[in-house]
Amino acid sequence: MILRARLVSLIWILPGLMAATGQAPLNLWWLALMAWGLALYAISRAASWKQAAWFGWLVGVGYIGGTHFWIVAPFYVDAEAYAWMAPFALAGMVGGLALFFAAAYGAAFALGRSQGMRLVSLAPCLILAEFLRATLFTGFPWAQIGSLWLNHPFMQLAAWIGVPGVGLLTLLALALPLAAPGSRAWPALAVSAALLLGGSWIGAQRLAAPVALSETQIRIVQPNAPQHLKWRPDMAPVFFQRLLDLSAAPTDTPPDVVIWPETALAWRLDIAEEIFPLIADAAGGAEVIFGAQRLDEQGFYNSLAVLQPDATISHVYDKHHLVPFGEYIPLASLLAATGLMPDAERRGYASGPGARVLDLGAAGRILPLICYEAIFARDVAAAPERPDWIVQITNDAWFGNIAMPYQHLDQTRLRAIEQGLPVARAANTGVSALIDPYGRILASHPLNEQGVIDAVLPAALAPTIYARLGNWPVWVLLLTLVGGLVLVRRTRGH
């Protein structure tokens, strides 16, 4: 009987899998909304906190599996050597991240004395779990619940309360009608409808405002260097020449800034001075922002550099939020000391000092982000001053063609909404894009095609509430909700 019940309970994987359709490439927000309603309902079918945690873990398996399946792709770049690791990596990520959902469901069950209270409790518990997922073990806030609204006006509320706040309002709107008993269901439904429709109206009004243009003309270069060829000695010169040719392509309005993607150069920055004049000539008087690796006395870095028209480097930014196991090995020093990792080069990149703003003069001040750094709202907010625009350089060629490049693009769009800043995104194989301060894509270049984007950079908006306060308003609301639920439980317990 226990085994049969466990097999029947596997059905709760389905709402999580359905909820994944709210993320790229499908972006079916309406289907994801229904799925999250079903996922919330799962807690009302649990008889204990342990069973609730089990149901939550299953929901998490469906959701994380449906949004993170691309994690296997890097293992197939050199399939002969690494493909055998792919199933273990997928199982580890899905099973591990699903534990955050399990914790949320178990805590919500313990927090509420009735089914209705548990349903309401689950909304803040899931968002608290997302905060933990975004922070622990360096964090991984990918496919947050609130981001399902990205192509809908409701997402504009992130300018006030960020993606976590949008997720909290969404879950509360879904939970209230499910939690309300009998005759109270209709008033609760009216409150939920007012919340969702009102938020959508506010977002639509924000989107109706015109976007001013700056005086900066930019060119984003997408060379399309496949990952399995990118570092080959015979292909590196081919891709470098492609970058030069694309940068020098004729245009009616010469660019002020040319942007190349992450690790665009196959040669280290500290030994590549001989090719700087070639890059400057190709850019025709524009500043060039490009990615390259560099080595100094402190370590080996994944860097972004700014090349001036006179072929000198004016700025260097070193990536500081590195990908665990992808760009560095956690506890590498300990492993090296024990002899388990004797090769020092396998320790990966060193971390840069932190977020920086680079002053490009007439082109304004930029916040540089390298690849994965764009998924962290806190890294963007950590800049010592407000930039005029964001530059993200990335190489998503590792991660296949189905979901990850589009999901990563969507993450960048969320940062634009939260901060009210335009974003120029240069991706090796795509998707490169120019994004306005409302998160809309003004221009893009398709995946797996070489080419350029020539456009005028939009102007920044005034600092948003989220840019000023960060997640504090959401934390106040979460603590108020959880505190109220604890108080109600204690009162009813007596």
Side-chain angles (χ1 to χ4, degrees), residues 48 52 55 71 124 190 208 249 270 435:
S48 67
F55 289 173
I71 196 65
D270 51 294
I435 301 163

Side-chain angles (χ1 to χ4, degrees), residues 38-176:
L38 290 172
L40 291 172
Y41 177 72
I43 198 170
S44 68
R45 310 308 300 167
S48 67
W49 73 265
K50 291 182 179 180
Q51 190 175 46
W54 167 245
F55 289 173
W57 187 80
L58 293 171
V59 169
V61 165
Y63 187 64
I64 298 299
T67 53
H68 294 63
F69 62 87
W70 46 263
I71 196 65
V72 302
F75 299 96
Y76 290 96
V77 172
D78 185 358
E80 186 175 346
Y82 300 110
W84 66 271
M85 298 181 183
F88 301 100
L90 181 62
M93 170 169 275
V94 171
L97 293 181
L99 292 174
F100 289 101
F101 290 79
Y105 276 71
F109 188 96
L111 195 57
R113 295 186 63 87
S114 65
Q115 288 186 0
M117 291 297 293
R118 289 164 188 157
L119 276 160
V120 174
S121 300
L122 186 51
C125 285
L126 279 169
I127 300 305
L128 286 169
E130 286 205 330
F131 273 119
L132 290 174
R133 180 161 67 96
T135 306
L136 295 180
F137 312 113
T138 78
F140 194 59
W142 195 273
Q144 291 178 285
I145 294 169
S147 61
L148 69 91
W149 293 105
L150 183 56
N151 294 317
H152 188 280
F154 195 81
M155 192 71 246
Q156 296 299 311
L157 295 183
W160 287 273
I161 54 177
V163 179
V166 173
L168 179 60
L169 293 184
T170 302
L171 293 176
L172 286 173
L174 294 171
L176 287 175

Side-chain angles (χ1 to χ4, degrees), residues 256-277:
D256 301 299
V257 180
V258 175
I259 307 170
W260 291 5
E262 179 185 15
T263 56
L265 298 188
W267 306 277
R268 290 201 331 251
L269 183 66
D270 51 294
I271 56 173
E273 288 186 1
E274 291 184 1
I275 64 173
F276 291 166

Side-chain angles (χ1 to χ4, degrees), residues 288-453:
V288 181
I289 299 171
F290 64 90
Q293 300 173 108
R294 74 178 191 90
L295 181 68
D296 67 13
E297 297 80 4
Q298 281 72 47
F300 187 48
Y301 297 92
N302 184 359
S303 303
L304 172 148
V306 181
L307 185 74
Q308 296 299 314
D310 64 358
T312 61
I313 299 293
S314 59
H315 301 87
V316 174
Y317 165 74
D318 298 320
K319 185 177 182 182
H320 71 278
H321 202 142
L322 304 175
V323 182
F325 301 103
E327 293 182 308
Y328 77 100
I329 304 297
L331 304 176
S333 298
L334 178 61
L335 292 173
T338 59
L340 295 176
M341 192 174 63
D343 184 359
E345 292 184 1
R346 296 191 61 173
R347 301 180 194 180
Y349 294 123
S351 178
R356 291 184 57 197
V357 172
L358 311 181
D359 192 343
L360 302 188
R365 296 166 300 174
I366 67 165
L367 174 67
L369 300 172
I370 300 178
C371 189
Y372 164 87
E373 289 178 321
I375 77 174
F376 295 94
R378 68 177 186 269
D379 286 353
V380 177
E385 58 182 312
R386 182 171 171 82
D388 298 305
W389 49 301
I390 296 171
V391 173
Q392 185 205 17
I393 61 171
T394 188
N395 175 27
D396 296 343
W398 287 96
F399 297 103
N401 304 320
I402 298 173
M404 188 277 184
Y406 300 104
Q407 291 177 359
H408 199 188
L409 171 64
D410 283 356
Q411 291 273 352
T412 311
R413 295 172 62 193
L414 294 171
R415 305 293 84 80
I417 298 170
E418 290 169 342
Q419 297 294 323
L421 293 173
V423 181
R425 183 178 199 265
N428 171 28
T429 55
V431 178
S432 299
L434 178 63
I435 301 163
D436 79 3
Y438 297 108
R440 296 175 296 199
I441 298 174
L442 300 181
S444 64
H445 199 74
L447 194 65
N448 300 323
E449 293 184 15
Q450 67 183 59
V452 300
I453 298 170

